[in-house]
Amino acid sequence: MRYAQPLLEIDIIAGGAVMLAGIALLLLWRQRHLRNALAALEHKLAQELERRQLAEQALADTRQQVGRLGASQQSLRDAERRRIARDLHDDLGQHLLALSFDVTQLAQHHDALAKPLAQIEARLQAASRSMRTIVRDLQPEQLESGLQGAVQQQVEQFSRLSGIPCRLEAEPAAFSAPGDERMDAVVFRVLQESLSNIARHAQASEVCIGLCRVAGSLSLTVRDNGVGLPDPPARRGCGLRGIAQRVAEAGGRFDIASQPGHGTALTMSFPVQ
């Protein structure tokens, strides 16, 4: 009987050791199971990251293709605009000039027709001025002096014709890089349309234009203190749709910030070299 107690203790210790060994095995199995599950999750995550990278690359490629297509279409439109401008100037302009000469000769030989012929001559002169304006808009001469000169002339012309003070805030870097004729034309046309919209709809008393170049992009902001866009916003008019289309075709971004009674800010960014 004196050996019973030690034997019992040995059995308890052995049982505890077996239990601890079982727990250790269970923990090892669970660790291995968690490690395998973690590896599977990491594998799935790697696959998802790879799919996401492929999707982002595909999206970037698509945007580049859209940009190239838009640039090609814009080049074709610019070429067509130049052709129309030449035809108007060379063909219609000559016809209007010939009609003006004919009217002048008729007035010299028929005194009784002097008054109605003077009215016709005035209308011919008005038609000639309209034709020259159309030709100038189709093929802006302002861009011949570069984007900086074109923007400054446009700002001065807008202030003079509309009577609305217009301030240009342009960083020196905005015009320091070599010019891109295609992109300069897009920026100039967008500025023209933006100012035209303000003159027609904004009822503004002040306009501010900002130009800056940051990290390979040229940012143009046109801000007015007019009536703003309605809330909820109405359907975009032709002017805003045209601006958005031009910016998108140039591969840029177009944002509108407006509150009724607190003016409107149009912000456009264009990729540049």
Side-chain angles (χ1 to χ4, degrees):
M1 295 297 295
R2 58 182 178 181
Y3 298 105
Q5 185 67 28
L7 290 175
L8 180 59
E9 294 177 355
I10 292 173
D11 290 340
I12 294 174
I13 293 173
V18 171
M19 183 180 296
L20 289 175
I23 293 173
L25 290 174
L26 179 62
L27 291 174
L28 288 174
W29 175 86
R30 184 168 181 80
Q31 184 181 16
R32 181 180 298 175
H33 177 73
L34 292 175
R35 188 181 295 113
N36 292 337
L38 180 60
L41 289 175
E42 290 177 346
H43 180 67
K44 289 182 180 180
L45 179 60
Q47 289 180 329
E48 184 64 28
L49 289 174
E50 183 178 1
R51 284 194 293 266
R52 182 173 180 177
Q53 289 175 352
L54 292 174
E56 290 177 349
Q57 183 62 45
L59 179 60
D61 293 342
T62 301
R63 285 176 175 171
Q64 289 180 356
Q65 292 175 2
V66 171
R68 287 194 293 268
L69 179 60
S72 176
Q73 291 176 340
Q74 186 62 45
S75 297
L76 292 174
R77 281 196 293 270
D78 289 342
E80 184 65 11
R81 292 166 73 95
R82 288 191 293 269
R83 184 193 66 79
I84 294 173
R86 288 194 302 268
D87 290 346
L88 285 174
H89 181 271
D90 297 341
D91 192 4
L92 181 58
Q94 293 301 317
H95 286 303
L96 291 174
L97 183 61
L99 283 173
S100 181
F101 287 155
D102 292 340
V103 168
T104 300
Q105 290 180 357
L106 282 173
Q108 291 174 351
H109 294 87
H110 302 279
D111 294 337
L113 298 177
K115 186 174 181 179
L117 289 175
Q119 294 177 345
I120 294 175
E121 174 64 20
R123 292 176 180 174
L124 285 173
Q125 293 298 325
S128 296
R129 289 193 296 271
S130 297
M131 185 268 297
R132 288 193 294 270
T133 299
I134 294 172
V135 169
R136 185 174 61 250
D137 289 340
L138 285 171
Q139 192 174 8
E141 298 176 355
Q142 295 97 321
L143 285 173
E144 294 180 358
S145 59
L147 181 61
Q148 183 174 7
V151 170
Q152 290 174 342
Q153 290 182 34
Q154 185 63 31
V155 169
E156 294 171 359
Q157 179 179 333
F158 171 80
S159 296
R160 184 176 67 254
L161 297 179
S162 68
I164 303 174
C166 186
R167 184 174 73 257
L168 174 62
E169 297 178 351
E171 297 180 355
F175 304 114
S176 62
D180 181 339
E181 292 184 1
R182 182 184 66 84
M183 193 61 69
D184 288 351
V186 173
V187 174
F188 180 74
R189 292 295 185 188
V190 165
L191 176 61
Q192 273 188 323
E193 188 60 37
S194 300
L195 293 176
S196 178
N197 283 344
I198 292 173
R200 289 197 301 264
H201 308 298
Q203 302 177 32
S205 61
E206 184 180 9
V207 178
C208 180
I209 298 171
L211 270 171
C212 64
R213 184 185 298 265
V214 179
S217 67
L218 180 65
S219 178
L220 168 66
T221 301
V222 183
R223 182 181 294 104
D224 67 75
N225 64 345
V227 296
L229 298 178
D231 188 18
R235 188 176 179 181
R236 286 186 179 182
C238 294
L240 290 178
R241 285 202 303 271
I243 292 173
Q245 182 179 359
R246 284 183 181 275
V247 175
E249 289 175 351
R253 178 176 176 177
F254 178 44
D255 295 306
I256 302 176
S258 180
Q259 290 183 354
H262 296 280
T264 301
L266 307 180
T267 302
M268 296 138 280
S269 60
F270 304 90
V272 293
Q273 298 296 329

